[in-house]
């Protein structure tokens, strides 16, 4: 989808231009040229089966958060304050910010390593919007929140890829 303001070629279904920030919601999309373009632009995250959110309160230890992630075999946990999302911590955070750096896992709050105020998606958002958010911020996990910013689940790049392979690509 080409931005009329700057000419940048954005992902199909993007709501804002990645280069200049212009609103793209009124831009008409060309007819899809590839089989995958239509599902990206039209399918919403509601068609996927998002994982339920692991939530921990601000102040919870890194150790307790890591154990919760290991128990559920999830790659992320949502950090909340009063039920509302304030951050996310991922397996990459554990690897790059914790391993060989923090030794007192049960004494260090998880919010010291979280990504604060992560980008989020809501019911009705398109796969293109979700993938654009992931690409722009190098996310592998995107929280899904309700209208009150309470986390209700998350999408992973692996889950989206699996969905697209099963539903959007032509069968061989």
């Amino acid at each position: 989808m080409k931005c009329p303001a700057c000419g940048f070629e954005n992902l199909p279904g993007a709501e804002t231009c990645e280069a200049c920030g212009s609103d793209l919601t009124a831009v008409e999309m060309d007819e899809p040229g590839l089989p995958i373009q239509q599902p990206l632009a039209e399918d919403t995250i509601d068609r996927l089966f998002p994982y339920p959110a692991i939530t921990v309160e601000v102040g919870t230890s890194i150790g307790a958060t890591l154990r919760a992630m290991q128990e559920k075999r999830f790659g992320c946990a949502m950090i909340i304050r009063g039920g509302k999302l304030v951050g996310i911590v991922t397996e990459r955070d554990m690897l790059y910010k914790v391993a060989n750096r923090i030794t007192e896992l049960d004494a260090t709050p998880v919010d010291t390593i979280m990504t604060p105020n992560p980008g989020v998606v809501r019911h009705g958002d398109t796969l293109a919007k979700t993938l654009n958010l992931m690409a722009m911020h190098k996310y592998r996990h995107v929280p899904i929140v309700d209208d009150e910013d309470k986390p209700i689940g998350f999408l992973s790049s692996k889950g989206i890829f699996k969905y697209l392979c099963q539903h959007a690509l032509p069968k061989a």
Side-chain angles (χ1 to χ4, degrees):
M1 169 180 294
K2 192 174 224 166
C3 175
C6 72
F8 184 79
E9 194 64 47
N10 293 277
L11 289 174
E15 294 181 354
T16 57
C17 178
E18 187 177 335
C20 71
S22 294
D23 182 16
L24 299 177
T25 56
V27 175
E28 291 290 322
M29 286 186 38
D30 296 333
E31 285 297 313
L34 298 173
I36 200 167
Q37 286 179 301
Q38 187 169 358
L40 281 174
E42 295 176 4
D43 288 359
T44 67
I45 63 168
D46 305 312
R47 296 214 37 197
L48 280 79
F49 298 101
Y51 299 103
I54 294 176
T55 58
V56 296
E57 282 285 336
V58 167
T60 301
S61 73
I62 292 172
T65 305
L66 184 56
R67 286 187 291 275
M69 291 169 61
Q70 287 175 324
E71 181 181 307
K72 296 283 187 181
R73 300 181 58 89
F74 286 173
C76 67
M78 310 298 146
I79 315 305
I80 58 173
R81 178 180 291 121
K84 294 187 177 197
L85 182 71
V86 295
I88 186 171
V89 66
T90 68
E91 57 200 359
R92 270 203 292 189
D93 294 322
M94 296 294 182
L95 181 62
Y96 292 114
K97 297 177 183 177
V98 176
N100 295 322
R101 294 173 191 225
I102 299 174
T103 56
E104 298 295 326
L105 298 182
D106 288 320
T108 308
V110 70
D111 38 299
T112 61
I113 64 161
M114 74 179 185
T115 300
N117 307 311
V120 299
V121 292
R122 301 176 194 284
H123 285 297
D125 285 344
T126 63
L127 294 178
K129 178 180 179 179
T130 306
L131 287 173
N132 191 43
L133 182 65
M134 292 174 134
M136 285 176 43
H137 298 285
K138 299 180 182 171
Y139 292 161
R140 292 183 189 176
H141 303 90
V142 175
I144 304 169
V145 297
D146 65 14
D147 292 335
E148 296 174 355
D149 291 329
K150 293 181 179 178
I152 54 176
F154 72 93
L155 291 171
S156 68
S157 53
K158 179 180 170 183
I160 293 172
F161 181 73
K162 183 177 178 182
Y163 173 84
L164 289 173
C165 286
Q166 291 174 343
H167 296 92
L169 296 176
K171 305 292 186 238

